[in-house]
Amino acid sequence: MTKPKALFLFALLIGGCLLLSGCIGTATPMGWSAPVMDDDVIYVGTTEGKVVSYTLFSEPRVAAEWWRFPPRGELGLGGGGGGGFLACMPTASAVMYSTPFVADGAVYIGAYDGRVYALNTSSRVAGYSFPQESEGEWVYPEEDSIGAIVGSPVVAEGILYIGSADGNLYAIDIVTSELAWDSPFATGGYIWATPLVHDGVVYIGSFDHKLYAIDAADGTLVWESPFQTDGAIAATPLFYNNTIYIGSFDRKFYAVDTSTGKAKEGFIPFPAGNWFWGRAVAYDDTIIVGCVDGRVYALDAETGERKWSFPELDEGAVGPIRGDPALAGEVVIFGADDGRVYALDAASGHLIWDYPHGEDRFGPIRASLYAGDGEVYVHDTRNHYIYALGAEHGNVLWSVSTAE
C-alpha cells in the first residue's frame, strides 16, 4: 500500500472514531473547546459555534454573560452546514473545537469553518458589526477558508500560530491579518494539534507521524529532520528542562532533545494501552499525562519509568482521557469520558476527590480543564454548562449555561 493511501485510510479511521466520540444520539456534532480566564473574565467556544465571555463576580461568586459572538439568534461560526471531516451530518450551526487565546483585549479563535477570528472585547460588548477593523478585528482568510481547525491558536511576539486540517501551519500577523511568513509551513498530514511556542521556536505535531520544530520568525525548519513516531500526533507538546514531551497515536509517549530533535538519551518511550491525545504537565521532575486508555500516568522525566498510574494497572480504568489536565499546586485534575472530574495528589497519584458522586455524571469531559485562583473550570459540552469546582474539595462553586 502506498504511503498517501495508507495515511488517507488512517484519517478515515480517526474520523470514524471522532464521529462516534464527538456526536451523541441525535447525530449532532459536538466540539470540545476549553474555558480560559483572563482578568476575571472566562472565554469559551460553544457547541453552537459561538464565542462567549462571562464576567466573574466575587460576592456572591457567580458568572454572568458579558457578550457572545455571533449574537443570540444568529447562526454560529460556519453556520449553514457541517459536512466537514468531523461533522456527523449537515447541521444548522457549527461546532467549536478550538480554545480561545486572549491577549491585550483581543480574543483569537479558530473555527471549524476553516477561518481564524480576531475579536475586540469592547466592540463585542457594544454589539458593533463585525469586523471592526479600526479596533483590530479581522477574519483570516477574508474569503474562502483554509482546512477545518480543530486545534487552538497561540499568539507570541505579535504573531498568531495555528494549524489546519489542510496540513499547514499558519503564522498570521495580528496587526495586519496577513501571513507573517512567505508561505504556510506544509506538513504531510492533517494538523489537529495546538502549537507550542518557546524561545523563538514553534513545535507542532501532524498526522504524518512527525513532530516539527520551526523557526517562529521565518517558518524554516530548526532541526535537521522532524522527530518521527509511528502514529499521528494530535497532542500539544510540553517543554520542560530543554526537552519536548509528547504522546502519539502509536500509544507511546516520547521525550525529544530540543537541541538535536533526536530522542532524549536515557528516556525509554512509555507504552500505554491506547492513544495519547492531551498535553502533559510537569511536576517535580515528573511528567503527568492522561491517555485514551482511561488512565493517568506519572513518568520519570529522565528515564520514562512509570512512577504511578491512576487507576493502578490492576484496577479498572476510568473513561478515555482526551483533554489536558489542570495542575493546581500539588494537585493534578483531569476529566474523563465517564463524565467525572478527578483530583489526584501529583506526587503519589492518590485520589483526593472526584465529582460528581454516586450515579450522577456530567456529559463526557473532552475539553481541557483550566485552573485559576482555587477554582477549576469544566466545560460539559453535552449539557451546555460550565462548572466551577473548588480545587481543594471538588464542590460546585457556580455554574452557567453556554446555550442560546
Side-chain angles (χ1 to χ4, degrees), residues 247-270:
S248 169
F249 282 3
D250 64 6
R251 305 184 177 196
K252 293 181 181 178
F253 190 82
Y254 297 90
V256 184
D257 188 323
T258 57
S259 63
T260 64
K262 308 297 183 183
K264 176 180 174 64
E265 185 176 355
F267 188 100
I268 299 175
F270 178 80

Side-chain angles (χ1 to χ4, degrees), residues 53-402:
S53 69
Y54 303 90
T55 301
L56 296 182
F57 296 93
S58 298
E59 296 182 4
R61 189 63 164 169
V62 295
E65 185 173 319
W66 191 22
W67 56 263
R68 97 173 29 216
F69 175 81
R72 290 179 179 271
E74 297 185 13
L75 289 179
L77 301 179
F85 189 63
L86 298 183
C88 302
M89 60 184 295
T91 58
S93 63
V95 293
M96 194 77 74
Y97 293 88
S98 183
T99 295
F101 189 98
V102 185
D104 300 324
V107 181
Y108 304 93
I109 196 164
Y112 190 66
D113 67 359
R115 307 176 89 186
V116 184
Y117 295 82
L119 310 174
N120 177 275
T121 55
S122 297
S123 297
R124 293 310 99 216
V125 170
Y128 296 147
S129 61
F130 177 84
Q132 292 292 311
E133 295 180 355
S134 62
E135 298 299 325
E137 292 192 325
W138 48 261
V139 58
Y140 179 89
E142 292 184 3
E143 300 178 359
D144 202 8
S145 65
I146 58 177
I149 297 173
V150 178
S152 305
V154 174
V155 176
E157 302 296 330
I159 305 297
L160 180 147
Y161 303 92
I162 195 165
S164 164
D166 66 6
N168 291 321
L169 176 68
Y170 292 83
I172 305 169
D173 188 305
I174 62 172
V175 175
T176 66
S177 72
E178 297 178 352
L179 288 179
W181 299 338
D182 292 338
S183 61
F185 181 88
T187 73
Y190 301 108
I191 297 180
W192 289 358
T194 297
L196 166 71
V197 183
H198 182 86
D199 199 21
V201 179
V202 185
Y203 301 93
I204 188 75
S206 169
F207 263 50
D208 65 6
H209 302 188
K210 297 174 182 177
L211 171 69
Y212 295 85
I214 303 161
D215 190 299
D218 59 20
T220 59
L221 280 173
V222 174
W223 296 334
E224 182 177 347
S225 60
F227 180 79
Q228 181 80 44
T229 74
D230 293 322
I233 299 175
T236 300
L238 167 69
F239 183 98
Y240 181 70
N241 285 348
N242 297 317
T243 304
I244 289 292
Y245 295 92
I246 195 164
S248 169
F249 282 3
D250 64 6
R251 305 184 177 196
K252 293 181 181 178
F253 190 82
Y254 297 90
V256 184
D257 188 323
T258 57
S259 63
T260 64
K262 308 297 183 183
K264 176 180 174 64
E265 185 176 355
F267 188 100
I268 299 175
F270 178 80
N274 211 317
W275 302 337
F276 286 101
W277 199 311
R279 179 178 182 266
V281 296
Y283 173 82
D284 193 22
D285 293 329
T286 300
I287 308 301
I288 304 173
V289 63
C291 183
V292 178
D293 68 6
R295 286 184 166 82
V296 177
Y297 297 98
L299 310 177
D300 186 285
E302 291 299 316
T303 67
E305 182 179 357
R306 183 177 68 90
K307 293 185 173 182
W308 55 258
S309 60
F310 176 86
E312 288 294 348
L313 300 182
D314 59 353
E315 300 175 349
V318 299
I321 301 167
R322 292 176 175 83
D324 306 345
L327 190 62
E330 299 178 350
V331 179
V332 61
I333 307 170
F334 67 95
D337 260 23
D338 64 1
R340 281 182 171 168
V341 178
Y342 299 85
L344 311 176
D345 181 278
S348 67
H350 293 158
L351 179 66
I352 299 174
W353 56 259
D354 62 343
Y355 188 88
H357 308 297
E359 298 300 319
D360 294 333
R361 291 288 192 276
F362 292 132
I365 305 300
R366 295 172 180 147
S368 300
L369 305 187
Y370 184 92
D373 196 23
E375 299 179 349
V376 177
Y377 305 119
V378 181
H379 188 189
D380 181 351
T381 55
R382 188 177 72 182
N383 296 311
H384 311 290
Y385 264 84
I386 293 177
Y387 293 88
L389 305 181
E392 184 175 358
H393 300 294
N395 54 310
V396 176
L397 302 177
W398 54 262
S399 63
V400 65
S401 173
T402 64

